[in-house]
Amino acid sequence: QFADNAFAGVTVLKTAHLENNRLTQLPRNFPFDKMETLTISRNPWHCNCQLAPLRKWLKGNRTRAEDSCSTPAQYRGQPIRDTPALRSCKLPTKRSRKGSRH
């Protein structure tokens, strides 16, 4: 498990190999911006909106790095890229601030 601020201040991360780690989530500030290679297989991913940035990255990078949801049970075995669990998630924008009112 990563701490929420594990990647605070990291601006360029091009490669990450995270397979076989029993990870269920990635931290909200995971630096996808410059990511080129990401291996995530064999982790029990929990498919909720916190994985929406990962899904966006997978869709934008026609990489073979694909993995599937383990939980919630109704999405078990579905590819993160295609699962309906993440379809309606709103992606945070760069300008949004936690707690700000519109």
Side-chain angles (χ1 to χ4, degrees):
Q1 185 170 346
F2 287 109
D4 277 343
N5 62 351
F7 294 93
V10 176
T11 54
V12 179
L13 184 62
K14 292 188 173 181
T15 304
H17 298 288
L18 305 175
E19 65 274 19
N20 295 313
N21 274 300
R22 286 189 252 158
L23 292 169
T24 59
Q25 288 292 342
L26 289 174
R28 293 187 193 283
N29 65 346
F30 192 82
F32 284 104
D33 292 351
K34 306 273 193 290
M35 186 67 62
E36 293 170 7
T37 305
L38 179 62
T39 55
I40 59 168
S41 58
R42 294 184 293 283
N43 284 297
W45 297 109
H46 180 66
C47 287
N48 67 7
C49 285
Q50 192 164 333
L51 284 185
L54 172 60
R55 177 178 182 257
K56 181 184 178 205
W57 185 86
L58 287 168
K59 281 188 165 300
N61 292 268
R62 298 312 286 172
T63 173
R64 286 183 313 247
E66 183 58 88
D67 212 7
S68 54
C69 308
S70 288
T71 56
Q74 71 265 37
Y75 301 118
R76 182 185 308 261
Q78 294 181 354
I80 292 171
R81 186 182 295 170
D82 301 320
T83 180
L86 304 175
R87 255 187 219 133
S88 60
C89 295
K90 301 268 188 286
L91 281 169
T93 59
K94 291 274 186 230
R95 278 175 283 173
S96 70
R97 286 199 192 98
K98 278 187 183 163
S100 65
R101 306 221 168 184
H102 298 295

